[in-house]
Amino acid sequence: MAKEFVLGMEALLIANATEQFDSDNTVIIPMATIEELETYEGYPEETKNAKAVLKMLREIGINKLINEGFTQRNGSLLKVALDAPKEHNYRNKKAVDLPFSNLSNYDKRRFALCKYLQENKPDNIDNVILISMSDSTRLRADYLKIKAEEPKFRLFPVLEEQYSGQITLEVTPDIINKFYDKKKCNLSDLKLSTAEIPLNTFITLRDYYGHSALGIYNGTQVSMLYDSAINLTHGFKPLNKSQSFLLHALTASPSTIPIVIVKGAAGTGKTFCSLVAGFAQTKKLSWNNNSALYNRVLVSAPMLDEKVRKIGAVKGSLEEKLNPYTAGILDNANEILNFNKYFKYKSSTRTQSEDEKKQKRKNNNHELISTNPSASTTQSSLKPDVLRDIMDDGVFRIISLDLLRGRTFTNAYYIVDEAQNIRPEEMKTLLTRIGKGSKIILSGDPSQTDAKGLNERYNGLTYASELLKSKSFCYQIGFEEEESVRSPFVKEILKLF
């Protein structure tokens, strides 16, 4: 039977949210939700979606929506519901108010409306269901005997079922020998069909003797990975198969593979490999400067503190605001630049005075181009200020994710670390910053999602991964926990906790 779905505000912050229900159902937007949408001030993409909903309601007409409803493109009926009658609210005041005195007025009105709709539902309506992203709201609804659900269209697969971008196949030694011989093989040789394997899937072939070979499915056949791409990062060798896949993806031409998504547990080398490949392909840093693809390396990480997100609301420079979120990136960059003999850099700002350098940073259009405190280590095999130099020269920059609108990055290698803490709605803004000759790397661990309102099934990294699965312009690599390159003691700790 049909159902009536009562939408909370969070559900409407997704584009086309009202059309995500089956054709025989009724989608109800309470007046309380409309008023809450009108006052919403949050993430830019969500604010845009909120305004789009309000515009749609105005264009359809409030009288039509309240009285008869509007049939949507997918066949479901969209309606707006006024608050429950006062006499109904008075009868249910004890049920709604007393257990939850700290409820917002909007939630109280939605709960009262759901109770009213339950009591007065037509014969063809099986149930009234409140749609909310808030765990506490759904728990409270359950206490009040109101059925409540998460918006299923906002949930992606559970962690174990999320796309990893790679598979391992057990094959005979004969198949591996032929693969090395011909440097390619057909899916039929591996007893696979095109329906079983997405485009751009990385493949590990392994026989019962322990021999293995690495390849990638390009849509027609499986091609062997060549060492030439991996060896571009001279002096750094992959420590496992996933790092080999990652370096292959990171060194692919940005004209064919502008997006790389890498997921995995901490300590697997995601950020380190991404920085190595970026520096190795960036002019002024690369030992093969004539064939370098990029002019600069850009890095971002989401800020988890809501107060800090409002850049002007917190004292201090942009550097001071972003450093807590980028310290790990800077540590990796410092280690790579200072402890590898192949990186050479001649600063163009070395002869400038400190005042001139400070002025250059100040004029750099909201970008952080200052140093990591650890960059001045006396143990460095290069000049002690090499990291500071490349930042002052603009070759390596850390930028705020909240200051991306209106910008386009050309010939840039852009790493977004901890991408699981970005909201799905913000991914569109982020991915559309890619300009000609640029590559963007989204890196993170969905199981380590810390941002408010996000979890391992609902976050920007998982959203981008599922959305771009099997796209010709995107490579994806999912690391396994046992591929951690940290101390073996860390692996044991991860198992225990």
Side-chain angles (χ1 to χ4, degrees):
M1 292 180 70
K3 298 178 177 63
E4 286 184 336
F5 291 96
V6 179
L7 305 190
M9 184 192 67
E10 309 100 322
L12 288 169
L13 299 179
I14 295 263
N16 304 316
T18 63
E19 296 182 347
Q20 303 299 321
F21 302 89
D22 293 338
S23 60
D24 59 340
N25 296 316
T26 300
V27 181
I28 296 176
I29 303 178
M31 190 58 71
T33 297
I34 293 176
E35 292 176 12
E36 195 173 10
L37 276 177
E38 288 175 336
T39 61
Y40 180 76
E41 292 182 3
Y43 299 90
E45 282 298 323
E46 291 182 338
T47 301
K48 177 183 173 183
N49 292 336
K51 290 180 178 178
V53 171
L54 295 172
K55 179 183 177 183
M56 175 189 68
L57 299 181
R58 286 195 303 270
E59 290 176 348
I60 295 172
I62 193 69
N63 287 326
K64 179 179 177 66
L65 287 164
I66 291 174
N67 296 320
E68 58 197 84
F70 171 76
T71 302
Q72 303 187 94
R73 289 175 297 184
N74 69 338
S76 61
L77 185 66
L78 177 65
K79 298 192 75 174
V80 167
L82 300 174
D83 288 348
K86 288 184 179 179
E87 58 270 21
H88 178 273
N89 288 348
Y90 180 78
R91 290 198 311 271
N92 288 274
K93 186 173 179 62
K94 183 177 180 180
V96 174
D97 277 357
L98 292 183
F100 311 120
S101 58
N102 62 338
L103 270 179
S104 73
N105 183 51
Y106 298 122
D107 275 333
K108 288 180 181 179
R109 290 162 63 189
R110 275 189 288 266
F111 283 155
L113 176 64
C114 288
K115 298 290 284 185
Y116 176 76
L117 292 173
Q118 280 179 340
E119 295 173 9
N120 297 275
K121 66 180 186 293
D123 292 339
N124 67 318
I125 296 297
D126 176 52
N127 209 340
V128 175
I129 302 172
L130 176 64
I131 301 298
S132 174
M133 276 295 292
S134 168
D135 291 333
S136 63
T137 297
R138 294 195 305 276
L139 287 171
R140 287 164 165 170
D142 182 62
Y143 178 85
L144 296 171
K145 295 182 172 52
I146 298 170
K147 186 173 176 58
E149 296 178 355
E150 289 181 274
K152 292 189 170 84
F153 53 90
R154 291 188 76 164
L155 292 179
F156 310 112
V158 295
L159 194 61
E160 295 75 20
E161 297 175 5
Q162 291 176 16
Y163 182 58
S164 68
Q166 61 168 295
I167 60 172
T168 298
L169 299 175
E170 300 295 332
V171 298
T172 63
D174 183 52
I175 288 179
I176 288 185
N177 291 334
K178 288 181 179 178
F179 189 54
Y180 272 107
D181 216 23
K182 297 182 178 179
K183 310 301 181 187
K184 60 184 179 181
C185 67
N186 297 318
L187 286 185
S188 57
D189 298 329
L190 305 176
K191 296 181 172 56
L192 289 174
S193 67
T194 55
E196 295 177 280
I197 179 168
L199 177 66
N200 287 348
T201 296
F202 289 98
I203 298 176
T204 302
L205 302 181
R206 183 177 295 140
D207 67 16
Y208 43 77
Y209 291 118
H211 303 140
S212 63
L214 306 181
I216 184 167
Y217 174 57
N218 60 18
T220 56
Q221 59 189 11
V222 178
S223 300
M224 179 171 281
L225 292 193
Y226 291 100
D227 288 341
S228 57
I230 295 173
N231 287 338
L232 175 62
T233 54
H234 194 59
F236 294 89
K237 299 295 182 182
L239 301 179
N240 50 53
K241 62 180 178 63
S242 292
Q243 286 195 3
S244 295
F245 293 149
L246 178 55
L247 287 172
H248 177 89
L250 296 172
T251 55
S253 170
S255 62
T256 55
I257 306 294
I259 301 174
V260 175
I261 297 174
V262 51
K263 299 183 292 185
T268 49
K270 303 184 301 294
T271 303
F272 190 89
C273 288
S274 298
L275 283 168
V276 165
F279 290 157
Q281 299 175 89
T282 298
K283 294 174 183 177
K284 296 185 179 181
L285 285 175
S286 175
W287 45 81
N288 195 9
N289 198 51
N290 293 332
S291 61
L293 296 171
Y294 309 103
N295 294 329
R296 54 183 177 162
V297 175
L298 307 176
V299 183
S300 291
M303 294 178 287
L304 300 182
D305 190 330
E306 293 295 323
K307 294 179 180 179
V308 176
R309 288 185 65 89
K310 297 179 180 179
I311 293 291
V314 179
K315 292 182 180 180
S317 65
L318 189 59
E319 172 191 355
E320 292 168 331
K321 296 169 185 176
L322 294 180
N323 265 348
Y325 307 99
T326 57
I329 300 172
L330 293 171
D331 287 344
N332 276 288
N334 182 56
E335 181 178 351
I336 293 165
L337 292 169
N338 282 295
F339 294 93
N340 186 269
K341 63 182 179 181
Y342 295 99
F343 284 110
K344 305 294 181 184
Y345 188 72
K346 183 177 181 181
S347 172
S348 62
T349 62
R350 173 66 66 179
T351 58
Q352 293 179 351
S353 68
E354 284 303 312
D355 288 341
E356 289 174 322
K357 291 181 182 180
K358 287 179 181 177
Q359 186 61 39
K360 183 172 181 178
R361 297 178 198 132
K362 186 177 179 180
N363 294 336
N364 197 21
N365 190 26
H366 303 301
E367 292 181 336
L368 173 62
I369 50 171
S370 54
T371 187
N372 172 22
S374 64
S376 298
T377 173
T378 56
Q379 298 176 359
S380 171
S381 60
L382 297 180
K383 290 181 290 188
D385 292 326
V386 62
L387 182 56
R388 183 187 190 97
D389 287 345
I390 67 169
M391 297 179 94
D392 284 346
D393 287 349
V395 179
F396 178 67
R397 293 177 177 174
I398 297 179
I399 59 178
S400 169
L401 287 170
D402 295 295
L403 300 172
L404 292 181
R405 282 185 168 269
R407 305 186 67 182
T408 300
F409 302 123
T410 58
N411 300 116
Y413 182 96
Y414 185 17
I415 303 170
V416 181
D417 207 24
E418 303 294 343
Q420 77 277 1
N421 287 321
I422 299 173
R423 300 186 71 80
E425 295 78 16
E426 297 304 298
M427 268 298 164
K428 178 181 177 182
T429 300
L430 178 59
L431 292 174
T432 52
R433 300 309 96 197
I434 307 173
K436 185 178 180 181
S438 289
K439 183 187 287 283
I440 186 168
I441 298 92
L442 303 177
S443 174
D445 179 5
S447 70
Q448 296 294 318
T449 303
D450 304 311
K452 181 181 178 181
L454 303 182
N455 55 50
E456 64 182 33
R457 294 187 65 188
Y458 177 65
N459 62 77
L461 182 63
T462 301
Y463 171 69
S465 175
E466 296 300 317
L467 194 68
L468 299 178
K469 178 170 59 177
S470 197
K471 296 298 181 184
S472 62
F473 52 83
C474 177
Y475 279 155
Q476 299 199 40
I477 302 93
F479 280 79
E480 300 168 356
E481 280 193 12
E482 54 266 29
E483 291 179 306
S484 173
V485 295
R486 291 182 178 172
S487 162
F489 298 109
V490 174
K491 295 180 184 179
E492 291 300 316
I493 291 171
L494 288 173
K495 291 177 183 178
L496 292 172
F497 287 85

